[in-house]
Amino acid sequence: MVLFEPLQLGSIQIPNRFAVPAMVTRLSGDDGFVNDGIIERYRRFAEGGAGLIVVEASSIHGGKSGPLLKISDDEFIPGMAALADACHTAGEGKVFLQIIHFLKVARSGWRQKVGDLSVEELELLPDLFADAAERAMEAGLDGVELHMAHAYTLSSMLSRMNRRRDHYGRTIENRLRLPSMVMQRVKERVGDFPVGVRFLADESIRRGYSADDASLFAIRFAELGAAYISLSVGGKFEDAVQREGQPLYPYTGYSGDRCMPGDSYPDAANIWLVKIIRDALRAAGHTTPVLGAGKIGTVELAEKVLGGAAPGPALSGPDTASCDIVGMARGLLADPYMPRKAMNGRRDEVVQCIYCNVCKSLDESFKTVVCYLWPKGAIQAPRPQESRAAAAANSSPNGCPPDSSVVPRASGGPAWGDEQELVAKVGPGEVRLRWSKPEHGEASGYDVLRSVDGGDYAVITSCTRTRHLDDMALRDHSLRYRVVPYDRSGFRGQSSNVVEVELDEVAL
Amino acid sequence: MVLFEPLQLGSIQIPNRFAVPAMVTRLSGDDGFVNDGIIERYRRFAEGGAGLIVVEASSIHGGKSGPLLKISDDEFIPGMAALADACHTAGEGKVFLQIIHFLKVARSGWRQKVGDLSVEELELLPDLFADAAERAMEAGLDGVELHMAHAYTLSSMLSRMNRRRDHYGRTIENRLRLPSMVMQRVKERVGDFPVGVRFLADESIRRGYSADDASLFAIRFAELGAAYISLSVGGKFEDAVQREGQPLYPYTGYSGDRCMPGDSYPDAANIWLVKIIRDALRAAGHTTPVLGAGKIGTVELAEKVLGGAAPGPALSGPDTASCDIVGMARGLLADPYMPRKAMNGRRDEVVQCIYCNVCKSLDESFKTVVCYLWPKGAIQAPRPQESRAAAAANSSPNGCPPDSSVVPRASGGPAWGDEQELVAKVGPGEVRLRWSKPEHGEASGYDVLRSVDGGDYAVITSCTRTRHLDDMALRDHSLRYRVVPYDRSGFRGQSSNVVEVELDEVAL
């Protein structure tokens, strides 16, 4: 599989194409120092086998930085060194630090804009970024990623909303001027230490830019020697929702939905934009690796967007890849051990993100970011239990089971007791499911599976509760449901009974 | 080419895959009757050869309907009959009427929502739609299209924003209930008279629905016998911009941008959503034709989204089509004669939409919708001049010239006089072009072409003025420009001189 192949990023190599994109944890204190909680979070990504781990955005300038880590002074180097060391001890993945400059936001709703900055203020940025990159290098990290995405300073320079009348605004070259200076200054300072860049494929705001502008940005950063190009979408201030007494937060509006597409969105909802940009980059002769992200949550889908899964004649046709590295923020938050499980042929033990966006809501509410699928109260993902992992390894040493293999295995698993009892209550336009816990209480979550008109069962959600409302069922179709429990290692138990229903009709 | 092939829509056949989606003209008076301006607008689409012409949304209920036509009473039948007759006389295309129900909107900002309606009010709709469809049939139209897209009543029922607590809200089946009743009632009333349906592939609003919900809608309407499924995007009230003293207008926000993607968007910006929905429909065993739209402006791109242009091995692979009919609202507004020109091998005479969205702005400003590329002051697209058309037919009777053939032809054209003089003024991050008019004043517009680093020339814009600011140029690349005039028939003249520049650098 392409997903398991190594890839060169500038002067270093990542062991596979799984990437953890920068994701705020809100585990950091106000002081901006790395703490034990932060280290534990990233250690799990490393243990789990991700090839590229991008540590959450760290501020390059002094002053308040809310929930962010800092790299604005040499005093932050030891903490970063401990983080790098923990990850390098735990796994083979390379660890990059995302470095960020942002403008002021007040609780009143006021925010500083790039149009407010003097040329002198703007021109301080390249050295601030270069200083931060140098500190990351000193700390033993494997690279830095320049944050030019979402609502922050460099993204606002690239934005179509940047209407500065001087040579830093309006036209594409002027919008690129400061970001290009930053990349150049950083590269001059750190030599062949890898420098990646993340920017938006599409702003997802009224009068914002889309993939055509982003293709030119990609070409520019490739020319300047970016180790990789990471593409996100949305996450802007322009459409953020003002909440009483809170500073404006850029993931609360529609562009925040597009940044972290939830369960209503199609899989890989942003990949068509990534493909346009990567194709433009390749057409311009650049081989710079491109990272795509946005609701790519399964091994199968990841392989597909890497161009590896197209069956038959298409393989001999043009390049079908949409990206070279797959960013999975929420997918790897739910189960940091997905890469290792997949590489060991244990795909059926992955706890699969359902894109409920509880993690996103926690971030927006200024709370520690955890996953809804983790055991209740946990602030870190559960480690697979050693005994279970060993049992798993014994029962199926090699090879990848088929996609639909969430069915329980006959042997090698824990004792779950008798099958769970599933009951359905049907109303106009809805099916309410409720089931009992397994007898021996091993379950940390449940996959809910549905078959329509006798077709294959598909997981429609996973949950930690013992009930689910199916609001996506159509009348005049036969619906079958069953539930499969899994333990904290992701090891699936025995299926419940099957219930078969049809939606009740309404007398009109 | 697939684009030129006929297609069955229920009981009738359209002669080709070019479609004019419903597009408000604001040529109608407050009375809602068809007038001469309306007839002239649609006559051109028919003359131009479009296979399917959907007449702008016509209101099915009494009362004020702003700029809309009406079909809410038998008194509107004669006007519609005249419109149908004019189109049928002028061309082979089939003429459908889009029928719409909408809720009240006040200048105060207040608007009626589907949650405000009683069950009794909702249940009046199926008969209103059926009455309107019957009138359209009586008027001699070829079919009707049920408007379930954008910000109107049935779309609001389908929306994820429909939080009604009764059996008309929240779940997918409940959201589908009233729209399904409408489709059923209309079908019962009109027999095998074709009934198409238009709804959103994606709402493009915060917490809105996307292609997964839309796939279920498509399956439902296919089950109910829709003649075709037409997919749009966005155009919602939820993010509309409130303008002082004006009623809220649903194309003014971000979702309006996504509905009619402008020049900042990639080509065929919505087609990836259309493909997801069409694939789901086909997987469910339905062959119902699907119409895709959204910045599909050229014959080449139209053929590509129809799956006809994939070269080499991919042809033997799975179905690569994204849609079966191509909706081109702005493209056919700019040049209603595009289909006929394309079918006659005269693609190089098409006046190509540049997605400047002047048409969209006019609509939002409650002004008659015209095209920026039409001759100054015109309220209808210019007809190709007979002499020019004849000359064109003589000089190249058959076959399709290559894509890049906007270069002037050596013979058969009008006398343009000496070449135009093009000059460029270069500043930091921008290139300002200015050119003289052709000596003999034949030009109604100009294509501006650019070559980067010696590559092929591509049209970067067309305009009616004699100047252009290129704000999409990158430094460190060699840029060449030239300008080609065209007359009101779209017949290209001689190229201007070539200017070669590089962007000025800024001393920093």
Side-chain angles (χ1 to χ4, degrees):
Chain A
M1 288 176 81
V2 180
L3 189 54
F4 302 156
E5 290 171 12
L7 181 70
Q8 201 68 29
L9 302 186
S11 59
I12 60 148
Q13 196 182 60
I14 54 172
N16 60 61
R17 314 301 181 90
F18 285 98
V20 182
M23 196 177 3
V24 69
T25 59
R26 294 198 180 269
L27 288 165
S28 160
D30 277 346
D31 58 8
F33 282 95
V34 168
N35 59 28
D36 289 349
I38 300 268
I39 289 179
E40 279 312 304
R41 180 67 56 100
Y42 289 96
R43 194 201 304 274
R44 279 165 171 73
F45 292 130
E47 282 175 0
L52 173 64
I53 299 165
V54 184
V55 175
E56 61 197 279
S58 298
S59 152
I60 64 168
H61 47 104
K64 282 193 181 172
S65 60
L68 298 191
L69 292 177
K70 285 185 186 163
I71 189 71
S72 52
D73 190 283
D74 288 354
E75 65 180 335
F76 298 105
I77 296 175
M80 287 293 171
L83 175 56
D85 193 50
C87 291
H88 289 146
T89 305
E92 304 295 316
K94 300 300 179 187
V95 188
F96 278 53
L97 181 67
Q98 189 183 56
I99 55 179
I100 185 175
H101 188 277
F102 55 87
L103 298 178
K104 291 176 193 143
V105 190
R107 286 179 197 274
S108 65
W110 173 86
R111 66 183 174 91
Q112 197 180 22
K113 296 178 184 168
V114 292
D116 303 332
L117 298 181
S118 68
V119 168
E120 292 68 31
E121 287 171 306
L122 288 181
E123 293 175 0
L124 294 174
L125 265 65
D127 276 327
L128 283 175
F129 272 99
D131 293 346
E134 214 170 359
R135 289 183 197 113
M137 187 164 64
E138 263 182 64
L141 289 152
D142 300 301
V144 287
E145 177 178 286
L146 307 180
H147 196 347
M148 303 194 186
H150 311 145
Y152 312 111
T153 315
L154 293 181
S155 180
S156 302
M157 295 304 295
L158 293 175
S159 175
R160 283 213 172 199
M161 295 287 109
N162 170 4
R163 305 306 296 163
R164 286 182 69 101
R165 304 293 302 176
D166 63 6
H167 54 274
Y168 284 109
R170 289 179 305 125
T171 73
I172 200 101
E173 180 59 44
N174 290 345
R175 286 152 55 199
L176 265 167
R177 194 174 305 278
L178 184 69
S180 302
M181 287 163 63
V182 167
M183 175 60 93
Q184 275 174 306
R185 195 74 51 89
V186 170
K187 293 285 293 177
E188 283 161 19
R189 191 79 72 80
V190 298
D192 72 351
F193 185 65
V195 182
V197 58
R198 187 167 220 219
F199 56 90
L200 297 176
D202 182 295
E203 292 189 278
S204 298
I205 51 171
R206 187 162 164 260
R207 297 180 183 165
Y209 78 72
S210 187
D212 291 351
D213 292 18
S215 295
L216 297 180
F217 302 158
I219 290 169
R220 165 61 47 84
F221 294 120
E223 288 171 352
L224 295 178
Y228 65 86
I229 285 163
S230 174
L231 296 168
S232 186
V233 164
K236 303 296 287 183
F237 276 125
E238 280 78 357
D239 65 351
V241 177
Q242 181 71 58
R243 284 169 184 162
E244 192 63 30
Q246 296 289 4
L248 207 56
Y249 197 64
Y251 305 95
T252 49
Y254 174 77
S255 69
D257 280 10
R258 289 284 303 282
C259 187
M260 288 164 265
D263 56 5
S264 68
Y265 282 84
D267 283 339
N270 296 329
I271 204 74
W272 70 284
L273 293 158
V274 174
K275 179 155 176 61
I276 291 171
I277 296 162
R278 184 176 181 275
D279 284 352
L281 198 59
R282 297 290 175 267
H286 297 286
T287 57
T288 314
V290 174
L291 184 153
K295 210 181 171 192
I296 309 175
T298 66
V299 171
E300 293 71 25
L301 185 58
E303 183 66 10
K304 190 174 167 193
V305 299
L306 289 168
L315 281 176
S316 57
D319 188 357
T320 55
S322 299
C323 60
D324 307 286
I325 311 168
V326 179
M328 287 189 182
R330 292 167 294 173
L332 290 171
L333 184 72
D335 191 346
Y337 300 91
M338 183 198 305
R340 208 178 62 179
K341 288 176 179 176
M343 286 183 273
N344 290 333
R346 311 295 319 162
R347 252 187 267 183
D348 57 341
E349 288 176 21
V350 174
V351 177
Q352 209 65 67
C353 175
I354 54 168
Y355 297 101
C356 65
N357 273 349
V358 164
C359 51
K360 180 171 182 285
S361 304
L362 289 168
D363 177 35
E364 285 167 18
S365 314
F366 309 98
K367 292 180 185 150
T368 304
V369 174
V370 298
C371 177
Y372 161 78
L373 293 175
W374 293 352
K376 206 162 182 159
I379 63 155
Q380 304 289 356
R383 279 204 172 79
Q385 289 158 301
E386 289 313 315
S387 59
R388 195 73 64 243
N394 287 335
S395 68
S396 170
N398 264 313
C400 295
D403 187 12
S404 60
S405 59
V406 286
V407 294
R409 272 164 299 152
S411 66
W416 293 90
D418 283 346
E419 73 178 26
Q420 297 165 261
E421 195 195 338
L422 171 67
V423 291
K425 195 178 152 192
V426 185
E430 63 182 38
V431 180
R432 288 183 185 275
L433 302 169
R434 189 176 282 275
W435 56 92
S436 60
K437 289 188 180 177
E439 210 175 340
H440 295 299
E442 295 261 10
S444 85
Y446 307 90
D447 292 328
V448 181
L449 296 95
R450 187 180 68 180
S451 151
V452 178
D453 295 332
D456 290 344
Y457 279 93
V459 175
I460 57 170
T461 193
S462 299
C463 53
T464 55
R465 297 173 307 184
T466 53
R467 60 183 192 275
H468 176 66
L469 166 68
D470 184 10
D471 58 3
M472 293 287 279
L474 288 184
R475 75 184 190 213
D476 302 333
H477 291 278
S478 140
L479 303 163
R480 282 196 188 85
Y481 298 88
R482 58 190 183 86
V483 167
V484 174
Y486 57 82
D487 68 11
R488 47 187 283 126
S489 299
F491 198 87
R492 262 65 180 181
Q494 196 179 346
S495 175
S496 74
N497 59 305
V498 170
V499 293
E500 182 169 352
V501 297
E502 259 198 44
L503 287 195
D504 280 354
E505 254 325 295
V506 186
L508 294 173
Chain B
M1 286 177 83
V2 180
L3 188 55
F4 303 156
E5 290 171 12
L7 180 70
Q8 201 69 28
L9 302 186
S11 59
I12 60 148
Q13 195 182 60
I14 54 171
N16 60 61
R17 313 300 180 91
F18 286 98
V20 182
M23 199 178 358
V24 69
T25 60
R26 293 195 180 270
L27 286 164
S28 160
D30 277 344
D31 58 8
F33 282 96
V34 168
N35 59 28
D36 289 350
I38 300 270
I39 290 179
E40 279 312 305
R41 178 67 55 100
Y42 290 95
R43 194 202 303 274
R44 279 165 171 72
F45 291 131
E47 283 175 358
L52 173 64
I53 299 165
V54 184
V55 175
E56 61 198 277
S58 298
S59 154
I60 63 168
H61 47 104
K64 280 193 181 174
S65 61
L68 298 191
L69 290 176
K70 285 184 186 162
I71 189 71
S72 52
D73 190 282
D74 287 355
E75 66 180 334
F76 297 105
I77 296 176
M80 286 294 172
L83 175 55
D85 193 53
C87 290
H88 290 146
T89 304
E92 304 296 316
K94 300 299 178 188
V95 188
F96 278 52
L97 181 65
Q98 189 182 56
I99 56 180
I100 183 174
H101 188 279
F102 55 88
L103 298 176
K104 290 175 191 144
V105 190
R107 286 178 199 275
S108 66
W110 173 86
R111 64 184 175 91
Q112 197 179 22
K113 295 178 183 169
V114 292
D116 303 333
L117 298 180
S118 68
V119 167
E120 293 66 33
E121 287 172 306
L122 287 181
E123 292 175 1
L124 294 174
L125 265 67
D127 276 327
L128 283 176
F129 272 98
D131 293 345
E134 215 172 357
R135 289 183 197 113
M137 186 165 64
E138 264 183 64
L141 288 152
D142 301 300
V144 287
E145 177 179 285
L146 307 180
H147 195 346
M148 302 195 186
H150 311 145
Y152 312 111
T153 315
L154 293 181
S155 181
S156 301
M157 295 305 294
L158 294 175
S159 175
R160 284 214 170 196
M161 294 287 110
N162 169 6
R163 306 304 297 162
R164 286 182 69 101
R165 303 291 304 176
D166 63 5
H167 54 273
Y168 284 110
R170 289 178 308 125
T171 74
I172 200 101
E173 180 58 46
N174 289 345
R175 286 152 55 199
L176 265 166
R177 196 174 304 276
L178 184 69
S180 302
M181 286 163 64
V182 167
M183 174 60 93
Q184 275 173 305
R185 194 74 51 89
V186 170
K187 292 285 293 177
E188 283 161 19
R189 190 80 73 79
V190 298
D192 72 349
F193 186 66
V195 183
V197 58
R198 186 168 222 219
F199 56 90
L200 297 176
D202 181 296
E203 292 188 277
S204 299
I205 52 171
R206 188 162 163 261
R207 299 179 181 165
Y209 78 71
S210 187
D212 291 351
D213 292 17
S215 296
L216 297 179
F217 302 157
I219 289 169
R220 165 60 47 83
F221 294 121
E223 288 171 351
L224 296 177
Y228 65 86
I229 285 163
S230 173
L231 296 168
S232 186
V233 164
K236 303 296 288 182
F237 276 125
E238 280 79 358
D239 66 350
V241 177
Q242 181 71 59
R243 284 170 183 160
E244 192 64 29
Q246 296 289 2
L248 208 55
Y249 198 64
Y251 306 95
T252 49
Y254 174 76
S255 69
D257 279 11
R258 288 284 301 282
C259 186
M260 289 164 263
D263 56 5
S264 68
Y265 282 83
D267 283 340
N270 297 329
I271 203 74
W272 70 285
L273 293 158
V274 174
K275 180 158 176 59
I276 289 171
I277 297 161
R278 184 176 181 275
D279 284 351
L281 198 60
R282 296 291 176 265
H286 297 288
T287 56
T288 315
V290 173
L291 183 151
K295 208 180 172 191
I296 309 176
T298 67
V299 171
E300 293 71 24
L301 185 58
E303 183 66 9
K304 190 173 167 194
V305 300
L306 289 168
L315 279 177
S316 55
D319 188 355
T320 56
S322 300
C323 60
D324 307 287
I325 310 167
V326 179
M328 289 188 180
R330 292 167 293 172
L332 290 171
L333 183 72
D335 191 346
Y337 300 92
M338 183 197 305
R340 205 176 65 179
K341 287 176 178 176
M343 286 182 273
N344 290 335
R346 311 297 317 162
R347 252 187 266 182
D348 57 340
E349 287 176 22
V350 174
V351 176
Q352 208 66 65
C353 175
I354 53 167
Y355 297 99
C356 65
N357 273 348
V358 163
C359 51
K360 180 172 182 286
S361 304
L362 288 167
D363 176 33
E364 286 167 19
S365 314
F366 310 97
K367 292 180 184 151
T368 304
V369 174
V370 298
C371 176
Y372 160 79
L373 293 175
W374 293 353
K376 206 163 185 160
I379 63 153
Q380 304 289 357
R383 279 205 172 79
Q385 288 157 301
E386 288 312 315
S387 60
R388 195 75 63 243
N394 286 336
S395 67
S396 169
N398 264 311
C400 295
D403 187 13
S404 59
S405 61
V406 288
V407 295
R409 272 162 302 147
S411 67
W416 293 90
D418 283 345
E419 72 176 29
Q420 296 165 260
E421 196 195 338
L422 171 65
V423 291
K425 194 177 152 192
V426 186
E430 63 180 40
V431 181
R432 287 183 184 276
L433 301 169
R434 188 176 282 275
W435 56 92
S436 59
K437 290 188 179 177
E439 209 175 343
H440 295 300
E442 295 261 10
S444 85
Y446 307 90
D447 292 327
V448 181
L449 297 94
R450 186 179 70 177
S451 150
V452 178
D453 295 332
D456 290 343
Y457 279 93
V459 175
I460 56 169
T461 193
S462 299
C463 54
T464 54
R465 297 174 305 185
T466 53
R467 60 183 192 277
H468 176 66
L469 165 68
D470 184 8
D471 58 4
M472 293 287 280
L474 289 184
R475 76 183 189 212
D476 302 332
H477 291 277
S478 139
L479 304 162
R480 284 196 186 84
Y481 298 89
R482 57 193 185 82
V483 168
V484 174
Y486 57 82
D487 68 12
R488 49 186 284 127
S489 299
F491 197 89
R492 263 64 180 183
Q494 194 180 349
S495 174
S496 74
N497 58 306
V498 170
V499 292
E500 183 170 352
V501 297
E502 260 198 43
L503 288 194
D504 280 355
E505 255 325 294
V506 186
L508 295 173

